[in-house]
Amino acid sequence: MSAGLQRVFSGVQPTGDLHLGNYLGAIKNFVTLQDTHDCIYCVVDMHALTEWQDPAALVANTREVTAGFLASGIDPKSHIVFNQSQVSAHAELAWIFNCVARMGWLNRMTQFKEKAGKNRENASVGLFTYPNLMAADILAYKATHVPVGEDQKQHLELARDIAQKFNNDFASSIQAHGLAETFFPITEPLITGPATRVMSLRDGSKKMSKSDPSDMSRINLTDDRDTIAKKIRKAKTDPLNIPSEENGLEARPEADNLVGIFAALSNQPRGEVLKQFGGKQFSEFKPALAELAVEVLGPIGMEMARFADDPGYIDGVLNNGAQRASEIAAPIMRDVRRIVGYIG
Ligand code: AQP
């Protein structure tokens, strides 16, 4: 970590197989940001508990997400990689934010509505307060920038509201302790690239997700060449050809999704992809997309398999990262305790 650089924080839940959406919407950007920022990347195992997890699967998934980070090119020596539950600041600050955030704010969160579904009475309290823990994740390190996919935009807006309300509610205490008026930064979301919302391969109206019961809906980072090719071949499309202009993708969610994936994987704007494939059929486009996906994801999957054979190494990375993360959070939490009026 180098002094003076802006701090990035982001996390991924260990709730299942990492997929192309996690990679293009988040992890790919995590890798790029290492050149310009001090980065803290977290496997958010506490968030995972908001829905029941088999304990042994949680251990395996935490190691797998960590392996995905490393295999994608995150450097755990220059930056920090750890699992959330090892640093108590997250839980401690989340409690304070439970008391700062308003019920009305959380009632508006669409992710809770989607995940709780019709049976809200039966959803965990943790699922409801999830965004407060997310605000704590970021602000325990006073991170200024948070790379995420489009689906997390609303939660980040809430994190900004919480920071602002904390700074206002405790303004005189912050001042009395001689601390900067903007004690918690107003975090900037970084939602970038042509695939900030990768959709299910089976249904262009649903986002690609770890928890989708159909494995055919997503490309996992650990899928082999044949599986990737099969999933893309079977991906839902419409009967029209690929358009030559971007407005030709309107109201064609599946086509739009596949073109967006091609653009993100090949690091070019959608317009360039359409120049290359405009007028062609999906039967020609899909094999090219499969080839590209295998080229980009193949080495990551192979590296993840290598890490899977060495859980001791992964645990060492997480323990070391947790120690370094705790050191950053400790003085911030000391100030927070004084600000809110705790003794000791
Ligand atoms: N489909 C997606 N397109 C683009 N970005 C995505 N992300 C997730 N899905 C997509 C981004 O990946 C990061 C980690 O997400 P997460 O695991 O913390 O939670 P999630 O958003 O709830 O992801 P999943 O895969 O859908 O998990 P489940 O099924 O457990 O809910 C975030 O930056 C997210 O934006």
Side-chain angles (χ1 to χ4, degrees):
M1 311 280 283
S2 9
L5 291 185
Q6 288 178 316
R7 186 172 291 150
V8 156
F9 178 96
S10 197
V12 174
Q13 296 191 76
T15 42
D17 291 326
L18 281 179
H19 54 74
L20 188 64
N22 298 136
Y23 179 69
L24 295 178
I27 300 173
K28 187 169 189 273
N29 298 328
F30 295 0
V31 175
T32 312
L33 285 162
Q34 294 180 112
D35 295 338
T36 47
H37 292 73
D38 272 340
C39 303
I40 304 178
Y41 295 130
C42 187
V43 185
V44 287
D45 47 6
M46 291 166 65
H47 279 284
L49 286 191
T50 55
E51 289 178 285
W52 192 83
Q53 303 294 320
D54 173 71
L58 184 61
V59 171
N61 287 332
T62 300
R63 289 191 181 127
E64 191 184 303
V65 171
T66 311
F69 282 177
L70 305 185
S72 302
I74 291 171
D75 173 3
K77 291 203 175 78
S78 309
H79 300 275
I80 292 180
V81 172
F82 75 108
N83 58 315
Q84 188 184 24
S85 59
Q86 286 209 64
V87 179
S88 60
H90 295 255
E92 186 183 352
L93 190 56
W95 176 256
I96 294 173
F97 288 167
N98 282 344
C99 304
V100 172
R102 306 289 93 182
M103 290 291 288
W105 298 359
L106 291 173
N107 274 333
R108 286 194 284 277
M109 294 296 114
T110 53
Q111 182 173 291
F112 175 76
K113 290 180 197 161
E114 280 162 19
K115 288 201 169 178
K118 291 202 177 75
N119 197 0
R120 273 205 215 184
E121 292 293 310
N122 205 32
S124 74
V125 175
L127 188 65
F128 186 70
T129 59
Y130 178 114
N132 296 345
L133 177 57
M134 181 163 156
D137 298 338
I138 300 161
L139 296 173
Y141 306 98
K142 293 194 176 176
T144 52
H145 292 80
V146 184
V148 282
E150 177 74 33
D151 61 317
Q152 293 298 328
K153 189 165 179 244
Q154 196 186 30
H155 288 165
L156 279 178
E157 279 158 12
L158 192 98
R160 290 163 65 93
D161 290 343
I162 289 176
Q164 198 117 46
K165 188 165 189 307
F166 182 96
N167 293 344
N168 289 343
D169 286 356
F170 294 100
S172 20
S173 183
I174 290 169
Q175 197 185 22
H177 287 98
L179 298 163
E181 195 180 332
T182 308
F183 177 76
F184 281 127
I186 310 303
T187 305
E188 287 294 330
L190 298 173
I191 302 175
T192 52
T196 55
R197 189 171 175 82
V198 177
M199 308 310 278
S200 156
L201 298 180
R202 309 301 298 164
D203 177 352
S205 68
K206 272 169 53 185
K207 83 164 186 141
M208 187 177 284
S209 168
K210 298 187 207 88
S211 52
D212 192 315
S214 165
D215 193 56
M216 292 299 282
S217 69
R218 64 184 159 262
I219 295 174
N220 302 311
L221 297 192
T222 48
D223 282 344
D224 61 24
R225 161 183 281 274
D226 290 349
T227 310
I228 294 176
K230 183 168 108 192
K231 286 179 176 176
I232 292 178
R233 198 170 57 243
K234 294 202 173 259
K236 188 175 168 202
T237 45
D238 56 40
L240 303 177
N241 287 349
I242 310 273
S244 306
E245 305 287 334
E246 280 196 60
N247 58 15
L249 290 170
E250 278 166 25
R252 296 180 64 191
E254 285 85 14
D256 185 51
N257 189 37
L258 294 184
V259 169
I261 291 173
F262 195 105
L265 286 172
S266 59
N267 296 314
Q268 53 181 339
R270 274 159 203 256
E272 288 301 311
V273 179
L274 297 181
K275 265 192 212 154
Q276 195 183 339
F277 290 99
K280 300 208 163 118
Q281 295 184 341
F282 279 102
S283 55
E284 204 169 325
F285 177 73
K286 281 180 168 179
L289 177 59
E291 194 59 38
L292 175 63
V294 168
E295 191 185 309
V296 176
L297 302 182
I300 297 176
M302 268 157 45
E303 193 68 355
M304 285 175 75
R306 207 174 57 78
F307 285 125
D309 291 336
D310 196 354
Y313 174 73
I314 295 290
D315 293 0
V317 166
L318 293 173
N319 296 341
N320 174 273
Q323 201 173 337
R324 287 155 60 214
S326 298
E327 283 163 18
I328 297 174
I332 297 172
M333 289 309 299
R334 255 197 310 277
D335 286 342
V336 169
R337 282 183 215 112
R338 288 158 66 216
I339 290 170
V340 301
Y342 290 164
I343 292 179

